[in-house]
Each structure stands twice: as structure tokens, then as C-alpha cells.
Amino acid sequence: MSTMLWLIPLIPLIGAIINGTIGPKLGERISSGIAILSVIGAFIAAITVVSGVSSSAGHSVESDAVAWMTVPGTSLSIPFSFHVDPLNGGMLLVITGVGALIHIYSASYMHGDKGFSRYFAYLNLFVFFMAVLVMAGNLPLLFVGWEGVGLASYLLIGFWQEKWSATQAAKKAFIVNRIGDVALLIAMFIMFREFKTLNLYGDSGILTQLSSASTLHVQTGVATVIALLLFGGAAGKSAQLPLFVWLPDAMEGPTPVSALIHAATMVTAGVYLVCRFHLLFEMSPLALQVVAWTGGLTALVAACTGVAQWDIKKVLAYSTVSQLGLMFVACGCGAFTAAMFHVTTHAFFKALLFLGAGAVIHALHGEQDMRKMGGLASKIKSTHLLVLVGTIAIAGIPPLAGFWSKDEILLAAFDHNKPVYGLAAATSALTAFYMWRMYMLTFQGKSRVDEHTAHHLHLPDARIVLPLSILGVLSVLAGFLNAPAVGMHFYSDWLAPVISSPEHSHNSGLVMGISVLVAFVASAMSVAKYKNVSPESMEKSGAIFAFFGSAMRIDDIYAAVVVKPLTGLATWSSLSVERNGARGILRMGHSTVEGLGKTVRRWQSGVVGDYILSMAFALIVIISIVLVTGTRGGN
């Protein structure tokens, strides 16, 4: 079993190395085949490991520890080791399973791209780092995976290097994520001071100490500081206020990248981090309140923004930010099982929607503006039906997956924080509204596609339809993994060894009823509004619509408050400190040495008489010094 643990990250790494070195020489078929098979191999290894977790007495599987870092004279010893339990076991299946489907889809979507093998090398590299992140047995190794997925994300977002907007989006994502990463590093330092180790598991691991009352010595104030710093790291990676601005711009990358990184895996790493340290967060009511309110506000702000987008990928991007906010609402209300369950279902229906949007964009030769779509239901039937499934799922309409996981979050918020429940309920209504808006503008009504594109649609092939179909089935059925209303709670039972299941709520019927009503009413309103929308009405937008369409000017605020002052400071520093300061000192030193050299150079005249005169003068000086010092010594 230990060998299987190592194979999960190792196989994609080998695929990345092969494609990154000799991939261009292999051709598209072999290059994509290596990448796809490497992730499928990792998925098979993950299934084997997770099966071992379920049959293990300790509900976990660990690899053999390999010596990595030790500091002589201290207690710091960091092995290179992996650990899988029910919490990260489910994440591994999502990462490798959904990742494999996206790799298959990409083989068709990226056909003919000049960077084909490089793309698959980056994709494999991402899966490798994501596996390291969730399997890490200690915090430094987790941080390696954490930074690694940031690097892979940077490479994939900026994959089309000749596109200025893509390179800018990649830099923006990389820089914003570093802010959260600093908070995570500080949290690691404090945890080492408090727990005397950076290992997560084992007899003296951090999580072991947290679960044992006899060894717990961390004060509530310290726990609050650590928890808030951990959440700071999570907010950067999972795009929460005020650090969410990078994710919508990340849509500049290829659409399959959006599905993998910004829907199914990387952006949920922050939710996983908070759930992994749920015992620490439960020690701090203040930290839980911060998490809940941040998640609720982020969810609502992103949902309001999603209503006013015309770019089909931007709608899904803001939807992702909003859904991540709901996951943090669950964490802040102590419903960590509900948060992870929504991570799972969201991976299926959001990957389905992103890949479906990619199929639409591919069919329309790169068009992403929904004002230039419409009437596509009869043109790309398979894509239409599958996107419809994803729309129903994310809108929270029963009995699809999104309804069950979102209902658990709303129930937890209703029981523990009524104001945050209000934010989450409003978010759910807006989600249903803007997702049906996207569906109607794309597939229904009169066609607004130009005639040339309409007669030359790129119809999806089997490599696109197959992943969409599998994700569609999962979007329908996955909700029944945890549907307490019908007596199904497999997922909560699965996580029970790591996260205890919440007590049954007496408000479940009421909350479910409100949730269903809100979803149907918001969906009906959206369908009615955009059923026969005219191009003229789409061109007319009020001030409020424009305000939300610009993401509430948050980027402009950042530019005015952060970017421009820092740019001005850098310019002043370049002119005053570097050019006139550091360079001035260097120039002065240069001038002094140059002047001294010119003075000394005059003595090197090449005339023998001058040299004899200089030697005589030097000899007189030396004899004089000797006589003077000798006389003083005699006295």
C-alpha cells in the first residue's frame, strides 16, 4: 500500500517530465496519450489506496517516511511522507478522476495548438503538486504542494504567452496568491512554536495533539491567531474577499484549465485546509465568525457580479467564487462535512459547466460573448443537454447533486448564524437566476450567431462528449451520497473518523422547503425574462447593471489604493534612491578612483631621470623617518 501512495503523485510527474522534454517530438497522439494514461494510472492508484483506508483499522494509510530535513540540536525533523484518510482520500479521487476526464477532453480541445505537449506537461505537473498538497504528512511538504499548484496555475493561465491579457492574468494570480501564502507561512512558524513539531500525524503530530485533550495546551487567543492566519492562506487560494480578484481574470487560460484548476481542485484547496484544521477552528468562535461572514459576503458579491456578465466563462468564474463562499459559510458554521460534500458535488457540475462552455466556444470558433449566441440547442444537442443538467444541478433544483449539498450548507447557517443564512439564501437565489440566464442566452431564443460561424460549427467529437457525459451522470447522482432527507448519509459516515457528523436539525424540513421554493422562483423569473430577449435590450444597461458588470469596481479600487501608490513609490525609489543615491555614490567612487589614477599616472612618464629623482626622494623620506624614530627611541 505504501508503494501505491508514492505512485499517485509519481506517475503524473513522470508524464510531465516526458512531455516537458521530448513531448514535441512524439506528436499529439502519443503526447496526449502519455498524459492521459499517467492521470488514469494515478486515479487507479488512488482507488486502491482509498479502498485500503476503508478497510484499515485506523482509517488511514501512511507511506514509509524518507529523511528530508533535520536541524541538529533542535526537535525539528521533517520526513518526506504521505498520509491518506477519509478527508483527503475523497479529494484524491476528485483530483485524479476529474483530472483524467479533463485530460481526455483537452486532447480534442487543444488539437493543433503549437504548445500541445507543453500544455499537457503543465497539466500533469499540476496534478502532481495537487496530490502532494492533499497527501502531505507535514506542513512543509503541504507548503511545497501549495506553492507548486500556484506555479502550475501560473503556467497554465498564461499558457498562451503571446496573448498580453493572459500573461497579465497569470502574474496577477501569482502575486495575489503570494499574499495568502505569507499568512500560511506565519501560521506554520507559530504552530511549530506551540506544538514543537511540523508533522501533522503520528504520536506527536499537530492534529494528534489537537484531538487529545490531555496534550492540548494551546490557548484560545493563540488558536485564534493561527486559525485566522490559516484562513488568510485559504482566502488567497480559494479566492475570498478581498483576494478574489485573480480568479475571474484567470479565465484567460484554456477552458479545460478553468475546469480543472478553478472549479474542481486548486481553488478548493483552501476549503480543504480549513477542514483539515477544523479542530483548531472549533477552539476559536471568533475565527469561525470571520470565516462565515467572509464566505457569506464573498458569495453574495460574486453572485451579484455574475448576474451582469456577458462573457460565458466570466459567469462561471464568478459562480465559482460564489460557491466557494458558500463552502466557507459551512466551515464557519461548523458544518465541515457539508463543506467537503459541496466541494465534491461542485467539482462535478462546475467542471461539467466549464467543459460545456468550452464546447460552445469551440463550436463558435472562439466566441465567448453570449450576446452573439442563442438558438444553439438544436445545433449542438449533446452539449445543450449536458449543460442543462449542470445548470439544474447548480441552481439547487432537486434531486440533482447541487440541491443536496447546498441544502446542508443552508441548514447549518440557519441553525448557527441567521444573518449569514440570509446572505447564503440570497446567493442561492441569484445563482439560480444567473445560471438560467446563461443557459437561455446561449441555447434558447433566436440565434444571434453570425451566418458564417452558424454554417461552420465545430461539432464536438467523442473525446469531448464522453467526459461531459460522465460528469453529467455524476452531477445527477452524486447528491445521493449524502441525502439525509431520504435516509442516505454515506459521505458523512465516510468522513466520521476525521470529522464528526452534526446532530440532526429539527429545521431541515423548513429550510429545504424554502430552498426549493427559492430555486424554482428564481429559475422561473430568469427563464421568463430571457426567453425572448432582443439584441437591442441587451445593449441597454442601467447604471446598476454596469456597476455589477465591472465587479463593483473592486479592481479599480485596488488600482487606486494599492497599485498606483506602490508604482509611484517604486518610481520615486528608482529615481531618488537608485539613480541619485546608490548610483550617485558609485559615480562618486568612480570619479575619485579615476582622478587618483590620473594623478598617479603623471609619475609614470617613461623618463629615467624622473624615476631616479622619485627613488631618491623616497629614500630621503625613509631615512628621515628611521632617524627620527630612532632618536626618540634612544631618549
Side-chain angles (χ1 to χ4, degrees):
M1 193 60 69
S2 177
T3 302
M4 284 294 178
L5 270 176
W6 289 103
L7 287 177
I8 295 173
L10 183 60
I11 300 175
L13 179 60
I14 293 172
I17 293 172
I18 293 174
N19 268 316
T21 52
I22 62 173
K25 300 178 182 178
L26 300 176
E28 285 192 4
R29 185 180 296 273
I30 296 176
S31 179
S32 61
I34 291 171
I36 292 168
L37 289 175
S38 68
V39 183
I40 292 176
F43 179 58
I44 294 171
I47 292 174
T48 305
V49 170
V50 172
S51 299
V53 169
S54 60
S55 60
S56 170
H59 300 285
S60 64
V61 175
E62 294 188 0
S63 70
D64 297 328
V66 177
W68 184 20
M69 291 186 286
T70 57
V71 178
T74 71
S75 60
L76 183 60
S77 177
I78 305 170
F80 202 99
S81 63
F82 294 130
H83 174 102
V84 176
D85 58 21
L87 181 59
N88 56 5
M91 285 286 290
L92 278 178
L93 293 178
V94 169
I95 293 164
T96 55
V98 175
L101 295 176
I102 292 171
H103 276 68
I104 295 170
Y105 178 100
S106 297
S108 174
Y109 191 88
M110 299 299 292
H111 171 66
D113 194 285
K114 62 181 180 181
F116 189 87
S117 59
R118 176 169 59 89
Y119 169 83
F120 277 100
Y122 293 165
L123 221 56
N124 274 181
L125 187 67
F126 173 84
V127 174
F128 161 72
F129 279 123
M130 195 68 204
V132 170
L133 190 162
V134 299
M135 294 170 60
N138 53 69
L139 284 171
L141 188 56
L142 181 149
F143 193 74
V144 169
W146 190 272
E147 291 298 295
V149 295
L151 170 63
S153 175
Y154 167 79
L155 295 172
L156 286 165
I157 294 168
F159 174 74
W160 286 315
Q161 300 166 347
E162 67 281 359
K163 191 177 177 183
W164 184 84
S165 58
T167 58
Q168 291 299 107
K171 289 190 290 185
K172 185 176 183 179
F174 196 79
I175 293 169
V176 173
N177 270 272
R178 299 292 77 73
I179 298 171
D181 296 350
V182 171
L184 179 57
L185 270 176
I186 297 172
M188 288 169 54
F189 299 151
I190 299 175
M191 280 192 278
F192 179 70
R193 186 193 68 183
E194 295 296 321
F195 296 99
K196 306 300 188 255
T197 182
L198 290 174
N199 293 325
L200 295 173
Y201 312 98
D203 294 337
S204 60
I206 294 172
L207 298 178
T208 305
Q209 292 185 48
L210 286 171
S211 62
S212 175
S214 61
T215 59
L216 188 61
H217 60 276
V218 179
Q219 300 298 317
T220 302
V222 177
T224 298
V225 171
I226 297 173
L228 290 176
L229 287 168
L230 288 173
F231 180 60
K237 195 67 73 181
S238 294
Q240 298 297 286
L241 284 172
L243 302 177
F244 79 96
V245 292
W246 67 269
L247 195 146
D249 288 5
M251 299 300 108
E252 292 291 341
T255 301
V257 170
S258 303
L260 178 64
I261 298 179
H262 308 119
T265 53
M266 172 183 154
V267 292
T268 59
V271 182
Y272 166 77
L273 182 71
V274 172
C275 290
R276 175 55 77 189
F277 286 93
H278 68 98
L279 293 172
L280 189 66
F281 280 86
E282 288 171 348
M283 294 173 59
S284 173
L286 174 60
L288 289 177
Q289 286 288 322
V290 170
V291 173
W293 277 99
T294 303
L297 291 171
T298 301
L300 186 59
V301 167
C304 290
T305 306
V307 171
Q309 300 300 311
W310 294 115
D311 186 318
I312 189 171
K313 287 178 67 176
K314 283 290 182 72
V315 174
L316 296 175
Y318 283 108
S319 172
T320 297
V321 176
S322 183
Q323 296 300 304
L324 289 166
L326 290 179
M327 296 172 200
F328 282 111
V329 166
C331 292
C333 295
F336 298 98
T337 298
M340 289 305 300
F341 185 42
H342 199 55
V343 165
T344 304
T345 60
H346 178 265
F348 299 145
F349 59 69
K350 186 53 67 65
L352 170 62
L353 288 166
F354 263 118
L355 296 184
V360 171
I361 295 167
H362 190 61
L364 299 179
H365 303 270
E367 183 59 67
Q368 296 181 200
D369 192 335
M370 294 185 294
R371 290 171 291 188
K372 300 178 182 179
M373 299 181 185
L376 293 175
S378 60
K379 305 292 179 61
I380 43 177
K381 296 180 180 179
S382 58
T383 301
H384 159 249
L385 290 174
L386 291 163
V387 171
L388 178 60
V389 169
T391 302
I392 296 172
I394 194 174
I397 296 175
L400 273 69
F403 165 74
W404 299 106
S405 57
K406 194 181 296 183
D407 185 65
E408 290 296 304
I409 295 173
L410 292 172
L411 179 59
F414 187 88
D415 287 340
H416 296 90
N417 196 325
K418 292 288 193 304
V420 171
Y421 167 77
L423 297 176
T427 297
S428 298
L430 288 170
T431 300
F433 186 87
Y434 67 67
M435 287 309 303
W436 280 105
R437 172 181 178 268
M438 186 198 83
Y439 168 78
M440 296 300 293
L441 289 175
T442 304
F443 294 103
Q444 300 300 327
K446 293 181 180 179
S447 175
R448 300 178 297 278
V449 181
D450 67 82
E451 291 187 9
H452 180 269
T453 303
H455 287 89
H456 297 85
L457 292 177
H458 280 158
L459 299 179
D461 60 23
R463 291 174 295 179
I464 287 180
V465 175
L466 176 63
L468 287 173
S469 301
I470 294 173
L471 290 168
V473 172
L474 292 171
S475 298
V476 173
L477 300 178
F480 292 104
L481 290 173
N482 216 57
V486 293
M488 296 182 178
H489 31 71
F490 170 80
Y491 194 82
S492 57
D493 292 343
W494 165 252
L495 286 184
V498 183
I499 302 174
S500 58
S501 300
E503 297 181 359
H504 175 72
S505 172
H506 298 294
N507 298 313
S508 58
L510 173 63
V511 172
M512 182 180 292
I514 295 173
S515 178
V516 172
L517 179 63
V518 166
F520 274 109
V521 170
S523 300
M525 289 174 62
S526 183
V527 171
K529 180 175 177 59
Y530 294 100
K531 184 177 182 180
N532 296 307
V533 64
S534 64
E536 293 78 16
S537 63
M538 286 188 287
E539 294 301 326
K540 297 177 181 179
S541 59
I544 295 177
F545 187 90
F547 175 68
F548 286 128
S550 65
M552 302 185 185
R553 304 286 183 185
I554 292 177
D555 269 315
D556 294 338
I557 294 172
Y558 268 118
V561 176
V562 179
V563 177
K564 288 184 179 178
L566 288 178
T567 304
L569 179 63
T571 302
W572 174 84
S573 176
S574 174
L575 293 174
S576 302
V577 178
E578 183 179 354
R579 185 175 300 177
N580 299 328
R583 291 185 183 180
I585 294 172
L586 290 175
R587 283 195 297 269
M588 184 175 67
H590 170 266
S591 300
T592 302
V593 172
E594 184 180 32
L596 183 62
K598 288 179 178 179
T599 302
V600 173
R601 191 169 61 214
R602 294 172 183 171
W603 296 352
Q604 308 296 318
S605 61
V607 179
V608 176
D610 292 344
Y611 294 156
I612 294 173
L613 180 61
S614 298
M615 291 172 63
F617 178 76
L619 185 61
I620 292 170
V621 170
I622 293 171
I623 292 172
S624 300
I625 292 172
V626 170
L627 290 175
V628 170
T629 54
T631 304
R632 289 179 179 176
N635 293 336

